[in-house]
Amino acid sequence: MAKILNIEQDVFFGNVIQQKLKETGFETIVVNSGAVALEQVHLASPDIIVLDMEISTADPFALLREKQSDKTIKDIPIIIISRSGDLAEVKSALNLGVNDYLVKAQLNLDEFVLKIKNQLSKSPAVKNAVNTLMGKKVMWVEDDQFLSDLISRKLGNQGSRLLYSRTGEEALKILETE
C-alpha cells in the first residue's frame, strides 16, 4: 500500500482528501502545519507528497527548495494543490521539482487519485517493490475473464509464475499441489 503525506492547512479539506485516498486503498497522513512538514517527510518516508500551496505556517516555495536540496527526500514525487492555478506559481513550483499540480477551486477527487496513481507508477521505489515479484508464484481468483486477462498481463510483465483460478474451489485444489 502506497503511503501519501498530505501537507494541507485546511483541516476539513485534508480530511476530505484523506477519506478519498483511504477509499482508494492508500495510507494517508495529513500534516496541517508547514513548520513540521519536512520533519514529517523524513519520519513518514512517504511514496508521494501532496502540498497545499496556501499553507501559511511555512513558505511552500521554501519547503520545495529544501526538499529539492535534501538528497534523502529529493526523489519523492510531489503534487501541489494551487489555490488558483496561477501560471507563475505553477511554473516556479515545476522548476523546483514538482511533478504535477491541481487547482483547488476545480478539484475533482477522481482526477486527483489518477494523478497520484500516475506519479506512483513512475516512482523508482514503487517500481522496485513491484519488481520483487520476479520469479515469485502469484495466484489470483477471478471469475471475470476481462479482469483476469488484465491481471495476467500485469503480473506476467513482472516475471511472476502465474497460478489462476476462476473459483474458490479450483483455487483450493491448486493450492494443495503448489
Side-chain angles (χ1 to χ4, degrees):
M1 174 183 339
K3 187 186 307 181
I4 300 166
L5 180 68
N6 183 15
I7 304 165
E8 173 61 57
Q9 181 168 303
D10 183 325
V11 175
F12 175 77
F13 193 70
N15 288 338
V16 168
I17 288 174
Q18 184 177 34
Q19 183 62 35
K20 178 64 175 181
L21 294 174
K22 258 187 192 176
E23 289 170 6
T24 311
F26 295 113
E27 177 184 348
T28 308
I29 301 164
V30 179
V31 175
N32 300 111
S33 171
V36 297
L38 287 176
E39 177 185 337
Q40 290 300 312
V41 170
H42 285 284
L43 289 173
S45 298
D47 296 301
I48 192 164
I49 300 166
V50 177
L51 173 62
D52 172 16
M53 294 301 285
E54 287 186 282
I55 201 137
S56 63
T57 52
D59 174 8
F61 289 103
L63 290 173
L64 292 172
R65 283 190 291 276
E66 287 182 54
K67 178 193 172 287
Q68 193 67 7
S69 67
D70 187 331
K71 293 176 188 173
T72 62
I73 61 173
K74 179 181 181 177
D75 294 328
I76 299 172
I78 187 163
I79 297 173
I80 62 165
I81 299 179
S82 172
R83 181 175 64 86
S84 64
D86 175 52
L87 258 88
E89 176 188 67
V90 170
K91 186 175 181 181
S92 295
L94 291 171
N95 288 335
L96 289 171
V98 166
N99 301 82
D100 208 341
Y101 72 96
L102 291 154
V103 178
K104 192 178 256 186
Q106 303 167 345
L107 185 65
N108 174 312
L109 290 175
D110 293 325
E111 178 188 350
F112 177 59
V113 169
L114 286 175
K115 285 182 179 271
I116 287 175
K117 288 180 178 180
N118 182 43
Q119 290 306 315
L120 288 171
S121 72
K122 297 175 186 177
S123 170
V126 173
K127 284 183 180 179
N128 289 339
V130 170
N131 287 339
T132 60
L133 294 176
M134 180 71 72
K136 303 270 171 103
K137 284 186 206 177
V138 178
M139 180 174 185
W140 74 97
V141 180
E142 177 59 62
D143 64 348
D144 183 286
Q145 189 62 45
F146 175 75
L147 292 175
S148 183
D149 289 346
L150 287 174
I151 293 167
S152 175
R153 271 182 266 162
K154 183 70 174 172
L155 292 173
N157 290 337
Q158 304 306 318
S160 303
R161 181 165 170 244
L162 305 179
L163 304 171
Y164 163 68
S165 171
R166 289 181 78 72
T167 68
E169 289 175 4
E170 284 179 25
L172 292 172
K173 289 178 184 173
I174 293 170
L175 288 173
E176 287 175 4
T177 61
E178 291 293 333

